[in-house]
């Protein structure tokens, strides 16, 4: 695998902290972009420093997505807001069946934010973008007064292109479909919650943040006939499956025994009182496809570094339309509702 | 002109204020989107409620842009953060010479924000999008704790398509080019500052926020040979012209007598101590083009509602590379520097 450590570009900011004037549109804004953003992000598209990027197009269908990231803390085991913001948006494009290509970044920075932390975040965005094979092509920076933000919020939007013959959509779940997942659930959410709660486990819980476009490409390579792809982020697999049951108007049946979860995460969920089905993932995908396609897709998933623990966790049924039912470990059945209140604020 | 008042879609939110749980990814998030966003924004692309929109493509070059809006106050004479967020991003695309087409919205809302204010903002975004002829196709909502944001921040990203033969770029200013502007400067910034300072003028200063894509289309219709288009927002025309002088490595000469500014704005600038050259505009563009093209472009601009007061304000010269020089009202010359510090925080 390629080594994605970055050699350190020249950093010549004369400030330790972000000032309101860094958002003025004048010299300091200009310098922030030239001294801190461009050394890491610079490419032929971005270097023009126009207000928009002019991009090559193909005649394929376009996928377009946006996400704002407000995760707290900004740095956590396994990642930080920077790589999370790249991976999350890359994943949203991959879940459309698209090849992610171009990314925009919008920063809202609180006055007083440490320049060194900003550099660390930007460095990690660049590493994540390179790893995922996407280009950061346009951006914007705003600064708000101390006390009117919370360190840094990042919006990333993305564009990708969809190959012909691919038709992935949230209302495409079909009765009979099997449901695959690519590994252990609830790792991102519990990594964040462990830090927030100051818990130390024997082995620390590491966020699963990762770009899934490579895995998806491998899957689509063996079967163009995937019906639905979705990354179960905020609200966990329970919320994602409920949304899909509703939008496809089908029932979803999952089997608790088959849902992959590590012992450490299970223990942390018990201690902190969380149901892992509702805890966020940032490097997981759920795929729906016809049973006859399942074996070959599962096979190729297991050979990918991000899919070693892939397995079938359930199926789509005709009954119980709009609902998710789980066969529990002890053999009974229960309804898995959508999350009503707030379980984990600012998890991404 | 078409009437862009919206009939009021059904609003059935059971809450007066935004709760943290509205950002959870669960039922409340779901309801916020279904009850408040979709009734206004709903269209074939957005209704799918996938994490990304799948869009029709053309084989033209793509323009892609992003901007976060943190304006304070959220509502001001002539507009609010909602239409500003649509118009600003539409304008960034238009300044690439693109036909703006698709818009994404990312909301970062502070816990406790009034649902009625959210609805008002969303309504105005929809009106502005319809007026500009763009579709809101994908979105995201995050909620941060009370005291960790400031009401609402909005990111909009946009995609447009560029017709063949158009080659507009920030490093395209050529010696001999004339510089056009479409009307009075400094209106947006002074509208905001008047509200913030509690000043009342005889006639209130109204923000010029407007989508410029129609005006740009008319201009490109009579001349594909426009070298540079730029909207002088944060930092005003002084900062924009300085950036262009630097990126095109030319000198820019402007004539103070020709710069359009209303008496009210001029008076407000004097009272509040601002130089109007540095004050933000949100419905103005600066165009650079060969002198032989100027007359027909100026002619068509003057016939557009947003260009009635268009005029020539300067020219590009070989000497003083990277600098902006202004011939003053009294006939002397002075250097117009880039803004160094912060003049007007959170103007957009």
């Amino acid at each position: 695998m390629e080594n994605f450590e970055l050699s350190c570009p020249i950093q010549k900011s004369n400030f330790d902290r972000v000032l309101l004037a860094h958002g003025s549109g004048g010299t300091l804004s200009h310098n922030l972009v030239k001294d801190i953003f461009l050394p890491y992000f610079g490419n032929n598209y971005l270097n023009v420093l126009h207000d928009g990027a002019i991009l090559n197009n193909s005649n394929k269908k376009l996928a377009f997505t946006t996400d704002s990231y407000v995760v707290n803390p900004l740095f956590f085991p396994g990642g930080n807001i920077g790589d999370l913001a790249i991976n999350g948006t890359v994943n949203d494009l991959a879940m459309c069946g698209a090849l992610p290509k171009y990314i925009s970044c919008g920063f809202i920075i609180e006055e007083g934010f440490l320049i060194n932390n900003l550099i660390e975040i930007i460095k990690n965005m660049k590493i994540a973008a390179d790893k995922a094979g996407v280009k950061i092509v346009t951006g914007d920076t705003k600064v708000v007064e101390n006390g009117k933000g919370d360190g840094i919020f990042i919006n990333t939007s993305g564009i990708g292109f969809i190959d012909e013959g691919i038709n992935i959509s949230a209302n495409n779940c079909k009765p009979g479909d099997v449901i695959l997942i690519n590994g252990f659930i609830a790792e991102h959410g519990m990594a964040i919650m462990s830090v927030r709660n100051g818990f130390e486990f024997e082995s620390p819980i590491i966020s699963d943040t990762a770009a899934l476009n490579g895995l998806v490409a491998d899957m689509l390579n063996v079967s163009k006939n995937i019906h639905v792809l979705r990354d179960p982020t905020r609200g966990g697999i329970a919320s994602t499956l409920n949304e899909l049951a509703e939008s496809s108007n089908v029932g979803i049946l999952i089997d608790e025994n088959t849902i992959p979860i590590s012992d450490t995460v299970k223990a942390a969920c018990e201690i902190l009182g969380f149901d892992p089905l509702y805890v966020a993932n940032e490097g997981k995908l759920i795929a729906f496809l016809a049973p006859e396609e399942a074996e070959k897709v599962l096979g190729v998933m297991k050979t990918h570094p991000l899919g070693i623990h892939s397995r079938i966790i359930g199926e789509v049924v005709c009954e119980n339309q709009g609902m998710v039912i789980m066969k529990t470990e002890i053999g009974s059945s229960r309804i898995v509702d959508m999350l009503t209140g707030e379980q984990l604020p600012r998890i991404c």
Side-chain angles (χ1 to χ4, degrees), chain A residues 15-32 107-115 118 141-149 151:
Chain A
F15 297 93
D16 291 335
R17 291 180 180 276
V18 172
L19 310 179
L20 263 184
H22 281 116
S24 64
T27 306
L28 284 185
S29 299
H30 200 67
N31 292 350
L32 186 73
F107 297 92
I108 299 175
I109 310 176
E110 188 187 7
E111 180 187 15
F113 190 64
L114 283 173
I115 294 280
L118 180 61
T141 308
K142 294 293 184 328
V143 180
V144 296
E145 304 90 334
N146 188 275
K148 300 294 186 185

Side-chain angles (χ1 to χ4, degrees), chain A residues 20 26 60 110 113 118 124 135 146 166 183 204 232 235 247 265 290 310 314 345 347:
Chain A
L20 263 184
K60 295 174 183 173
E110 188 187 7
F113 190 64
L118 180 61
N124 279 284
K135 275 200 160 63
N146 188 275
I166 291 172
S247 55
V265 167
S310 298
I347 209 73

